[in-house]
């Protein structure tokens, strides 16, 4: 076998076509999109600019913070941010040292600047984190405050070359996942009952104000969460040891994540999860994570349909991906819909990185994923698949809300080693539509691809295991 697309597999694919663009068009499949989508990506990049701040600067040490790693600096951070806000905003500076604190609440026009040599170490005491209005895995509720949180704020930033340390470990936060891998032992508390309860509340239409968790419950907080914010910048910092999702903007507009390093390998340790956001750029960043590196989301199931806000106009460029479940991922919480996603100039490699482009959904999510574009990606090694589109994730089929996935375009991708090139499974009554690959090379693929219920698969100038992939006889 010269490649993982034998004739028997293609005959089972609805509308599969391999060959040149003219042939694809003549047979009803979509030709590869021209440069127009990337002009749209350029427009997103120009629109998403970093916020500007007044020149006013205050240092947290002027308000009693001590960088000794043991003094509780919570009041000092709060006082410094409030004092800066009263002056119309500016920069709240964290000088070198290790500063222990509880949650930090950002206000409009505030840049939290963590200088090189400075570490903000967040307390592992759950009592320090009172409930706030948040989303937990796509469902709105009141839960433990994210470590850095903002609500309905404009022009906010977290910048600098310092470190944000969540101090999560197999003895703090991570055991709540219920996994023995992360320190949980039989008889210990874990998130399962609370997660079931939250989903039941959402399905039953319980008002968000009555979905109060936090103290006495076990749903881990996020690391950074701007909620309903506008003009957000996260730049330069290194994030380690997060309880779960690291950078999680929700229902926000104009978000720039730039030159960030995420190195956190705990459970559900996604790197960056823009959820129900518009105009997001993630650039120049490095992700080494315990879950998806980047995961674009838009709410979950009944609660996602209630809120019904999509994610759109997302650009990922110039990033590096190491460990993780997926490099660029969409879902599985995508009920409000995801569209106009662009990813370019990326580098990926790790035996612990499952997929390059990963889309995951099911018949409980509903919603849509449309117009996803990826190009110019260099991948050394993957554990599972270059392109993965999975309608059987989590709840799977048999529920009343089939998803719609179409317009997935990949070009100029080079993969050294992978198990599958394509792992794509739609439903018979809701097929995946219009997937194109062009000018792609897969040096070593070790297994026959899975391509089920796909309409309009177009391959142009694609080689696998050293051989061009041609049309079946």
């Amino acid at each position: 076998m010269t490649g993982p697309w034998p004739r028997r597999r293609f005959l089972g694919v609805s509308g599969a076509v391999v060959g040149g663009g003219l042939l694809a068009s003549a047979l009803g499949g979509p030709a590869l999109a021209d440069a127009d989508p990337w002009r749209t990506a350029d427009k997103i990049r120009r629109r998403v600019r970093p916020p500007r701040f007044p020149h006013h600067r205050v240092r947290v040490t002027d308000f009693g913070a001590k960088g000794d790693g043991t003094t509780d600096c919570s009041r000092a951070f709060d006082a410094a941010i409030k004092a800066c806000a009263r002056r119309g905003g500016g920069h709240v500076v964290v000088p070198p040292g290790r500063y222990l604190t509880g949650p930090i609440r950002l206000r409009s026009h505030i840049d939290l600047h963590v200088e090189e040599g400075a570490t903000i170490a967040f307390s592992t005491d759950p009592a320090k984190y009172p409930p706030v209005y948040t989303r937990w895995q796509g469902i709105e509720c009141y839960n433990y405050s994210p470590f850095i949180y903002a609500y309905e704020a404009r022009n906010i930033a977290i910048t600098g070359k310092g470190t944000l340390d969540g101090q999560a470990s197999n003895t703090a936060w991570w055991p709540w996942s219920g996994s023995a891998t992360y320190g949980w032992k039989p008889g210990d508390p874990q998130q399962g009952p609370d997660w079931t309860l939250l989903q039941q509340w959402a399905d039953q239409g319980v008002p968000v104000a009555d979905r109060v968790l936090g103290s006495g419950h076990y749903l881990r907080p996020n690391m950074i969460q701007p909620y309903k914010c506008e003009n957000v910048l996260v730049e330069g910092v290194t994030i380690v040891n997060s309880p779960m999702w690291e950078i999680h903007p929700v229902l926000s507009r104009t978000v720039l994540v730039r030159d960030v390093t995420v190195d956190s390998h705990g459970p559900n340790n996604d790197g960056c999860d823009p959820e129900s956001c518009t105009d997001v750029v993630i650039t120049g960043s490095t992700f080494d994570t315990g879950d998806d590196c980047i995961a674009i989301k838009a709410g979950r199931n009944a609660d996602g349909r209630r809120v019904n806000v999509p994610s759109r106009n997302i650009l990922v460029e110039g990033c590096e991906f190491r460990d993780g479940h997926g490099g660029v991922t969409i879902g599985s919480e995508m009920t409000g819909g995801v569209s106009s996603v662009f990813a370019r100039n990326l580098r990926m490699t790790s035996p612990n990185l499952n997929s390059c482009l990963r889309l995951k959904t099911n018949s409980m999510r509903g919603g849509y994923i449309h117009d996803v574009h990826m190009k110019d990606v260099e991948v050394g090694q993957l554990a599972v698949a270059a392109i993965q589109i999975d309608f059987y994730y989590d709840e799977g089929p048999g529920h009343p809300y089939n998803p719609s996935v179409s317009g997935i375009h990949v070009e100029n991708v080079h993969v050294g080693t992978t198990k599958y090139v394509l792992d794509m499974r739609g439903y018979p009554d809701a097929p995946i539509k219009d997937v194109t690959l062009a000018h792609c090379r897969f040096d070593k693929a070790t297994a026959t691809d899975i391509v089920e219920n796909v309409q309009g698969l177009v391959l142009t100038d694609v080689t696998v295991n050293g051989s061009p992939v041609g049309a079946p006889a």
Side-chain angles (χ1 to χ4, degrees):
M1 184 176 80
T2 59
W5 284 304
R7 184 172 186 268
R8 65 183 181 276
R9 176 63 69 188
F10 267 113
L11 294 178
V13 179
S14 176
V17 179
V18 184
L22 290 176
L23 176 61
S25 296
L27 294 179
L32 185 69
D34 62 13
D36 287 341
W38 298 107
R39 287 199 290 268
T40 300
D42 292 338
K43 290 177 182 177
I44 296 169
R45 196 179 196 278
R46 288 193 293 269
R47 282 200 303 270
V48 178
R49 310 301 299 171
R52 296 182 178 181
F53 299 94
H55 294 301
H56 180 61
R57 295 169 68 89
V58 302
R59 296 163 67 91
V60 294
T61 49
D62 293 337
F63 294 82
K66 295 180 189 263
D68 57 13
T70 57
T71 301
D72 186 344
C73 302
S74 302
R75 290 185 177 179
F77 274 93
D78 187 56
I81 289 169
K82 287 178 177 176
C84 193
R86 285 195 295 269
R87 291 281 301 270
H91 307 274
V92 174
V93 178
V94 184
R98 186 175 180 86
Y99 299 85
L100 179 66
T101 185
I104 295 172
R105 179 75 171 261
L106 291 182
R107 296 169 178 263
S108 294
H109 313 296
I110 296 295
D111 166 33
L112 178 66
H113 185 75
V114 189
E115 291 187 335
E116 188 172 7
T119 296
I120 302 177
F122 292 92
S123 172
T124 58
D125 180 3
K128 296 278 189 183
Y129 301 89
V132 298
Y133 182 37
T134 184
R135 245 183 187 176
W136 204 86
Q137 292 203 153
I139 298 178
E140 291 191 324
C141 63
Y142 285 80
N143 191 40
Y144 295 105
S145 173
F147 288 179
I148 301 179
Y149 178 73
Y151 182 75
E152 292 186 341
R154 297 184 72 252
N155 301 326
I156 57 173
I158 304 162
T159 65
K161 295 183 178 180
T163 298
L164 309 177
D165 185 354
Q167 300 201 106
S169 68
N170 281 14
T171 59
W173 299 116
W174 291 350
W176 289 4
S177 68
S179 170
T181 302
Y182 297 105
W184 178 83
K185 300 182 294 297
D188 288 349
Q190 53 103 354
Q191 69 189 28
D194 291 320
W195 176 222
T196 298
L197 176 63
L198 180 57
Q199 293 177 86
Q200 289 173 346
W201 283 344
D203 291 343
Q204 295 164 4
V206 173
V208 176
D210 295 332
R211 304 177 194 173
V212 180
L213 297 161
S215 180
H217 298 273
Y218 301 98
L219 300 185
R220 290 160 285 148
N222 293 174
M223 189 79 167
I224 299 170
Q225 188 182 79
Y227 206 103
K228 295 185 179 179
C229 293
E230 185 174 356
N231 299 336
V232 177
L233 171 66
V234 182
E235 180 179 50
V237 294
T238 295
I239 301 171
V240 297
N241 305 322
S242 175
M244 55 174 297
W245 297 355
E246 272 86 347
I247 305 170
H248 183 208
V250 182
L251 294 161
S252 295
R253 299 180 62 90
T254 314
V255 177
L256 176 58
V257 177
R258 183 166 66 184
D259 301 332
V260 167
T261 298
V262 174
D263 185 1
S264 192
H265 288 75
N268 310 107
N269 269 214
D270 294 11
C272 185
D273 294 35
E275 184 166 11
S276 298
C277 291
T278 296
D279 285 350
V280 177
V281 173
I282 305 167
T283 182
S285 297
T286 299
F287 298 93
D288 197 347
T289 69
D291 208 302
D292 293 315
C293 294
I294 293 172
I296 301 162
K297 301 179 180 291
R300 182 185 182 107
N301 297 1
D303 213 51
R305 284 182 280 277
R306 179 186 62 83
V307 177
N308 196 30
V309 176
S311 276
R312 58 191 177 188
N313 301 340
I314 315 289
L315 171 62
V316 180
E317 63 179 2
C319 293
E320 183 172 348
F321 303 83
R322 298 171 186 168
D323 287 6
H325 292 181
V328 177
T329 298
I330 302 174
S332 71
E333 299 85 357
M334 40 64 67
T335 300
V338 176
S339 66
S340 297
V341 174
F342 305 87
R344 63 187 177 189
N345 302 324
L346 309 177
R347 290 174 298 167
M348 306 185 187
T349 189
S350 172
N352 301 314
L353 179 62
N354 289 349
S355 302
C356 171
L357 178 63
R358 183 189 192 203
L359 280 57
K360 48 182 176 173
T361 184
N362 60 50
S363 63
M364 285 292 286
R365 302 291 185 268
Y368 59 85
I369 301 172
H370 295 164
D371 299 323
V372 177
H373 304 267
M374 172 177 277
K375 74 171 183 176
D376 301 337
V377 180
E378 184 69 26
V379 181
Q381 182 178 5
L382 296 169
V384 180
I387 313 297
Q388 186 175 52
I389 306 177
D390 183 10
F391 281 28
Y392 288 79
Y393 186 84
D394 210 354
E395 293 98 334
H399 303 283
Y401 302 101
N402 280 348
S404 171
V405 175
S406 68
I408 314 300
H409 305 292
V410 176
E411 61 178 304
N412 195 27
V413 170
H414 171 227
V415 177
T417 302
T418 185
K419 183 177 181 181
Y420 304 108
V421 172
L422 302 177
D423 179 4
M424 304 192 301
R425 302 177 68 203
Y427 298 148
D429 58 340
I432 300 163
K433 297 182 179 179
D434 302 335
V435 179
T436 69
L437 278 72
H439 317 303
C440 294
R441 188 170 91 248
F442 306 94
D443 293 341
K444 183 179 180 182
T446 61
T448 300
D449 284 291
I450 299 170
V451 180
E452 299 174 359
N453 300 306
V454 179
Q455 293 181 354
L457 173 62
V458 179
L459 309 175
T460 305
D461 184 26
V462 174
T463 62
V464 179
N465 294 344
S467 299
V469 179

